[in-house]
Amino acid sequence: MNRLHPRSAVVRIARAALQGGFFGFFGGSLGTGMFGFPWFAVPALAMLGAVTFSGYALARYLRFQYELDGDTLTVESGVFARQSRQIPLGRVQNLDVEQNILNRLLGLAIVRFETAGGSATEATLDAVDESEVKRLRNYVRTHDRDAAAESGAEPADAVSETATRGRSAHADLPGVTGPSPAHTGDTQAPTDPGEPVSASDTEGSDQPDGSLLFAFDQRELLTYALVSVRPAAPVLTLASLPLGMDIVWTVLRFNAGLVGASLNGPVVRWLLGSPETSRLAVFAVLSVVQFLLLALVVSVALTVIEYYGFRLTQADDDLRYERGLLRRYSGNIPLEKVQTVTIRENVLMRRFGYATLAVETAGYSGGNQQSTQGVAVPLAPREEVYELARDIEPFADLDFDRSPKRARRRYLARFSLAAAGLTAVAYALDSLVLETGYWWLAGLLFLPVVPAAHLRWRHRGFDLGESVLATRSGFWRRTTRVVPYYRLQTVFVTRSPFQRRRDLATVGADTASSSSLLGGVARVYDIDEDTAGELRDTLRERLRADIAARRTGREHARTGEQGADASEQSSEV
């Protein structure tokens, strides 16, 4: 059984000592003030807390052990209540690595094993050194390759064509070269999962290994930061508003004084002599402008911190990514376990011809390890994104069928009801509380109702290809999902009461991806009810046909291998 790296024990003990010392100091201070403890109770309790917490941290380190044996990862942990877990490597979907600043200085990394169907990360090794990270990654990769060879599955080597074709937009970046020794055969990982990985094997097979498919330069990183929207940015901006408003009002008073002095004070006199509602309107406009500017700055900063140094490479049958400025993340995306390929484009991306590519596997990322789970290419020209998507999961050009026009009338009715409800709320608030007389401004919400209904209808559709189902939805953030038939788990049809009134239905195609667990199912919205039933039956038939064809292909491959072995034996005789 292996233990975590000793330096990780030092970090744990130091962190626990600080936490215990703080709680002891806090408790001693309360006891001195409230219960009359002597003065030396404060340092004594602080010392006791530090020793207790650090001792428990040391015990947790000594009691945590793990081992890779054959096709199983065994993890034993627990100080008082012992726990032993055995994780089949065949269920491991992703192996993610995280390094914060301290771990990078100490040469350590946190390794997370993510499995199919789990509700959280199955096992976490916090922390091991970089050579052990490479050994674990190579072991899991070799096991997957051997398991695929035993089952007769074809290797997922389609993406290797990408390296030979180039990615011309990134060919001039430092380090963007052709296939590395991992592809040319100069360095190979051991083929036996039980065989230990030597230092030379580890160093040669995990560089970022393989062919570099994509990398961010500074210009592309800044472009992505400007055109993407971070959900956390508005929250952080709201938290900073109290300080920000003081700064804004200082600048505003300075500018108003300058303008007022140059114009004999008309701006200042107008502000002072205007009604209270006018001053509130000016304040509201300035607040909105400030909020948007601060949110943009925060969004850009968060994106740069998260995606700094982004690189996507291919090694054997895996895609590997690396990214992060303060925290460095890296992980593998097994191509043979990809469930869905997703292409996202917000309004700004579509305007400038960019898109984002995400691949979803059956693993679960814990929700807080990656803010954008499964992102393979954060930002690239749209043609390159579709080219890489076809390398991962081949599909023809997409020609989407739209919903019937009565679906557009449904959206028009829905948005009209929403605008009417908000207008009624504004009238009630103005009549009972505000008494400004401006409740009618909420009626302006009816103006975008018609274009909003049309845009929603226009940007929804589906395409039933030879080997994949493609769905599209969303105007502000258009999402295109490509689902291979053999990855389908469930096909279902839903009809709300409003859909039944217009003979409409929605078809959902569920896979084993973690996005599906969180509600990201490929859906065909608001199609004709009869068409929905036919689509459901067609998807089920193509799923069965595709599975049968793949099973036949594996049997033929296995028969060919047996025939080759027999011919070799007869020639030897």
Side-chain angles (χ1 to χ4, degrees), residues 100-236:
N100 56 31
I101 296 177
L102 180 59
N103 285 342
R104 290 163 68 180
L105 293 175
L106 297 176
L108 301 176
I110 302 173
V111 181
R112 292 185 172 88
F113 292 85
E114 300 176 359
T115 60
S119 59
T121 300
E122 192 71 24
T124 301
L125 307 182
D126 184 9
V128 296
D129 60 12
E130 296 178 356
S131 62
E132 179 68 2
V133 172
K134 297 176 182 178
R135 185 185 77 87
L136 294 171
R137 180 179 286 124
N138 292 334
Y139 192 102
V140 174
R141 181 187 303 159
T142 304
H143 174 273
D144 291 342
R145 185 167 57 244
D146 292 345
E150 292 177 1
S151 64
E154 298 179 358
D157 56 356
V159 184
S160 60
E161 301 175 5
T162 307
T164 60
R165 272 182 263 178
R167 302 281 174 217
S168 59
H170 304 282
D172 56 344
L173 294 178
V176 179
T177 58
S180 70
H183 286 275
T184 58
D186 296 341
T187 304
Q188 295 181 353
T191 57
D192 184 7
E195 179 183 347
V197 181
S198 64
S200 60
D201 293 333
T202 300
E203 293 175 1
S205 60
D206 199 89
Q207 284 303 332
D209 30 8
S211 304
L212 180 58
L213 304 179
F214 183 86
F216 260 162
D217 59 19
Q218 294 182 356
R219 177 177 174 272
E220 290 172 326
L221 177 60
L222 184 59
T223 302
Y224 179 58
L226 290 173
V227 301
S228 62
V229 178
R230 309 290 299 182
V235 178
L236 296 177

Side-chain angles (χ1 to χ4, degrees), residues 288-310:
V288 170
V289 172
Q290 181 218 13
F291 178 81
L292 294 177
L293 291 177
L294 288 178
L296 177 61
V297 172
V298 173
S299 178
V300 169
L302 292 176
T303 303
V304 170
I305 291 173
E306 182 172 359
Y307 285 100
Y308 178 83
F310 181 90

